[in-house]
Amino acid sequence: MSVYFKPYEGNRPYLFISYSHRDSEAVLKTITLLHNRKLRLWYDEGIPAGSDWPKNIEEHMQSCSMVLFFVSEAALDSPNCLSEIEAALALKKPVLLLPLSDTTPNAKWNELLPQCTRLSSGSDASARTETVLSCKRVTRAYYRRPLENLRFDRLMLVFALLLLVAAATGLYALITGRLDRYLLPPSTPVPTARPTPSAMPVPTETSEPTATPYVPGMETVTFPDVKQETAVRSALGVPDGDITLSDLGGVTELHFCGTMVLNDLSDVAFTEGAYAVNGAKPLTGPVKDLSVIGRMPYLGRLSLIMQPVQSLAALDRLMLLNELSLAGCESVDLSTLPVLPSLNTLHLEHSNVRDLSALNTQPSLETVTVSIDMLPLTFADDAAFDVVLVP
């Protein structure tokens, strides 16, 4: 390897490159093309001489957003590659496998590789580059933005804008004959015309106070059912009084099972014979209308377990929703789920869903949990998310 590019250093999403140094020539050709296509990449040529090598590798593994592993016989024989992929999976980092050659994994690798996303192999660096760029998991978040790390260029841009404003001001003053205001010394007063009596302002009667202007977001929320109102008041700590649309910004998570609101969903389990959550049976009074829930801009987790929800279209404003549970729903239609840019995990256990192809539009979806009673399932071969099967 004779030519290197500077690895990415910063806080934005980037790909950690894992490879064997015996494959350096083929790897460098590929990642150089990826770097030229504006992807943020880090590889071990970014480690300063004399620094703690293992610690530096560990720090960049923890801060990366995804790992690109160049698979070859040399890489599978490398203890460093093995430790890097084990660490990535332990940290729940997505791992993309890009084959350089045909390989025969040993027992240890046979446990790790199925947990990764395998890309098609390419005949040369250009083909491998296009394979990586076409992967749905490599989103625009991994691309460099103009001038994002060039502080000097930003200062020059600000300076140029100030010069442009000054030039425009001078040109305007010259055209309108007001240049003397800028050229006369500060001690020289600028002659001004004295107002004539007819131009003097005439006192007017004080007008009546105007009504308080309308402020968006101050409308009082009308809840579709008592259970939703109870849940929102509990989340906000507002036992009584009006709740406005702006107040809904304080709700970050809601959990429903029937009409029962759960405080903690970490140990959810469905018992035999009847659905139950944390040992408590669901109550009556279903949550069906999602119009109020869909207006909570900072909602990050939402559970609608065993609810008669059919359409999910009302959730289209939940830009920060990260985890959604529809377990036990018998009438939900996934085709009505809007594109949610932050949705990472979806729970569908014991639901009526059999076709997962509608989820291909979710850009950040990584995990979909289903149960055995839902088999067989239909989903696209190129689906970017992982399907986890539970009892």
Side-chain angles (χ1 to χ4, degrees):
M1 298 174 70
S2 56
V3 180
Y4 300 94
F5 61 88
K6 184 178 180 180
Y8 175 76
E9 294 288 351
N11 297 324
R12 298 182 184 274
Y14 66 89
L15 277 70
F16 180 105
I17 306 301
S18 178
Y19 68 103
S20 167
H21 279 241
R22 290 160 60 184
D23 302 318
S24 294
E25 182 176 356
V27 171
L28 181 62
K29 289 181 180 179
T30 302
I31 63 176
T32 299
L33 293 177
L34 292 173
H35 174 76
N36 294 339
R37 297 287 287 272
K38 306 302 182 183
L39 278 186
R40 300 189 194 94
L41 307 172
W42 186 91
Y43 63 116
D44 56 10
E45 291 299 332
I47 300 178
S51 64
D52 189 336
W53 190 285
K55 182 178 179 181
N56 206 307
I57 292 286
E58 179 182 357
E59 289 176 350
H60 284 88
M61 176 63 72
Q62 291 178 348
S63 61
C64 77
S65 300
M66 184 181 294
V67 176
L68 178 60
F69 178 35
F70 286 81
V71 185
S72 67
E73 287 292 347
L76 296 184
D77 290 338
S78 169
N80 291 333
C81 290
L82 179 61
S83 62
E84 289 171 0
I85 301 306
E86 286 179 331
L89 295 176
L91 294 170
K92 296 184 178 180
K93 306 285 186 181
V95 178
L96 303 180
L97 306 177
L98 185 59
L100 292 177
S101 61
D102 295 334
T103 58
T104 305
N106 56 29
K108 183 61 178 178
W109 280 109
N110 282 330
E111 296 177 6
L112 300 177
L113 297 182
Q115 303 178 51
C116 310
T117 301
R118 182 182 179 88
L119 305 178
S120 59
S121 59
S123 57
D124 54 20
S126 298
R128 289 190 289 268
T129 299
E130 295 303 324
T131 297
V132 174
L133 296 177
S134 63
C135 178
K136 292 183 178 180
R137 290 200 168 189
V138 183
T139 64
R140 297 300 304 175
Y142 295 96
Y143 286 75
R144 299 193 302 277
R145 299 176 183 178
L147 307 182
E148 68 178 14
N149 292 322
L150 301 180
R151 179 177 175 83
F152 175 77
D153 285 355
R154 288 185 177 181
L155 292 176
M156 291 298 294
L157 179 61
V158 172
F159 182 68
L161 289 176
L162 290 176
L163 286 179
L164 182 62
V165 171
T169 302
L171 181 61
Y172 171 78
L174 182 63
I175 294 175
T176 58
R178 299 179 182 178
L179 193 59
D180 55 346
R181 295 191 178 186
Y182 302 95
L183 299 180
L184 288 177
S187 59
T188 305
V190 179
T192 57
R194 182 171 299 176
T196 62
S198 59
M200 295 294 288
V202 179
T204 58
E205 296 182 0
T206 303
S207 59
E208 293 294 330
T210 58
T212 302
Y214 166 74
V215 179
M218 298 305 294
E219 300 96 329
T220 300
V221 175
T222 301
F223 292 92
D225 56 70
V226 176
K227 295 301 178 181
Q228 288 195 57
E229 181 174 1
T230 303
V232 173
R233 288 188 181 278
S234 176
L236 294 175
V238 181
D240 50 35
D242 291 341
I243 293 179
T244 65
L245 286 178
S246 61
D247 293 331
L248 297 182
V251 182
T252 58
E253 61 179 276
L254 283 175
H255 303 297
F256 296 95
C257 179
T259 58
M260 181 175 64
V261 182
L262 304 178
N263 293 324
D264 184 4
L265 209 63
S266 60
D267 295 318
V268 168
F270 292 94
T271 62
E272 294 183 2
Y275 292 127
V277 181
N278 294 340
K281 291 185 178 180
L283 307 177
T284 59
V287 175
K288 186 175 182 180
D289 187 336
L290 306 180
S291 57
V292 173
I293 294 177
R295 303 193 72 175
M296 300 177 181
Y298 296 102
L299 193 63
R301 297 178 63 200
L302 173 62
S303 300
L304 299 168
I305 299 174
M306 295 184 62
Q307 299 299 331
V309 177
Q310 295 180 350
S311 175
L312 302 167
L315 305 181
D316 61 339
R317 302 185 188 185
L318 303 185
M319 298 293 101
L320 301 181
L321 187 65
N322 178 264
E323 183 173 355
L324 174 62
S325 178
L326 301 172
C329 293
E330 297 181 353
S331 57
V332 65
D333 182 1
L334 285 185
S335 65
T336 64
L337 181 65
V339 175
L340 302 175
S342 299
L343 184 62
N344 178 272
T345 304
L346 178 63
H347 297 277
L348 296 173
E349 301 94 320
H350 305 286
S351 68
N352 70 319
V353 176
R354 298 295 182 271
D355 188 353
L356 304 182
S357 57
L359 300 177
N360 288 348
T361 60
Q362 302 300 324
S364 300
L365 187 61
E366 294 185 1
T367 305
V368 178
T369 306
V370 300
S371 53
I372 295 176
D373 58 290
M374 298 170 59
L375 300 178
L377 291 170
T378 302
F379 54 90
D381 293 337
D382 61 344
F385 53 83
D386 297 325
V387 178
V388 179
L389 185 65
V390 299

